[in-house]
Amino acid sequence: MQKGRGFLTAVTVVCIALGGWGCASVISRDLLRQADQTVRFEDLRAEPERYEGKIVLLGGMIVSTKNQATGTLLEIVQKPLDFEKRPSGGDTTYGRFLALHDGYLDPAIYAEGRDVTVAGPVIGRRERPLGEITYSYPLLRAQEIHLWPVVTEDPLYPYPPGGWWGYPPWWRYPYWGPWY
């Protein structure tokens, strides 16, 4: 009877360890603990000076990457973060922000359209032209940046949502047929 319990305990420990590993955050735990995740982006954009020195967690889509003498400046369209801290794929945004990274980031990698999650302290506001207006950007010092992988879909293998069940046989072979 004891041998069965030992095995069950070992399986339970392995499942918990693997489950916890899958929940690892893209930003370090220490920085996440310091971040004030109650700061709403709308408030930060309206009054960045009020939040200076506070560590925040923001995400979005890169608009531009510029290397300067002071580091790399990322212009990012803000998007709400999901449970993984990944920017959501929808069109919801409350504006743009700038993230200043102390080192060099290659613009070919940190390219327009890539999703990022950024954590770091608010260091103020920067005004820059945006089209024909002057836009006021909240500015962060990026202590950590997570660049999300590009999500691609294979157009030659269009699986229907939820699998093949319930679809007519011709759907399974849209391009090459069952003889392939």
Side-chain angles (χ1 to χ4, degrees), residues 39-55:
V39 175
R40 295 177 344 133
F41 185 76
E42 305 93 276
D43 300 332
L44 175 63
R45 187 168 172 272
E47 298 179 86
E49 298 81 17
R50 180 175 161 204
Y51 299 99
E52 275 189 42
K54 282 194 181 226
I55 294 175

Side-chain angles (χ1 to χ4, degrees), residues 33-166:
R33 256 188 257 117
Q34 295 175 41
D36 185 350
Q37 296 187 42
T38 63
V39 175
R40 295 177 344 133
F41 185 76
E42 305 93 276
D43 300 332
L44 175 63
R45 187 168 172 272
E47 298 179 86
E49 298 81 17
R50 180 175 161 204
Y51 299 99
E52 275 189 42
K54 282 194 181 226
I55 294 175
V56 295
L57 181 67
L58 299 174
M61 182 181 67
I62 297 174
V63 175
S64 70
T65 303
K66 291 189 172 86
N67 286 296
Q68 306 171 339
T70 57
T72 304
L73 190 66
L74 297 172
E75 180 180 345
I76 302 166
V77 173
Q78 181 271 341
K79 301 224 176 196
L81 299 176
D82 66 11
F83 68 97
E84 291 180 301
K85 309 296 186 233
R86 182 183 194 126
S88 65
D91 291 333
T92 303
T93 182
Y94 294 104
R96 297 179 179 208
F97 67 96
L98 299 173
L100 182 62
H101 176 71
D102 287 335
Y104 171 80
L105 298 175
D106 195 321
I109 305 299
Y110 289 80
E112 179 180 344
R114 295 288 305 267
D115 286 341
V116 291
T117 301
V118 180
V122 177
I123 56 175
R125 168 192 314 256
R126 188 171 288 178
E127 307 234 336
R128 298 179 58 186
L130 179 61
E132 295 184 13
I133 65 168
T134 300
Y135 193 85
S136 180
Y137 295 86
L139 178 62
L140 275 64
R141 177 157 315 280
Q143 286 183 326
E144 290 185 27
I145 301 174
H146 181 78
L147 184 66
W148 291 91
V150 176
V151 178
T152 60
E153 294 180 24
D154 187 354
L156 297 177
Y157 229 46
Y159 293 110
W164 295 115
W165 302 276

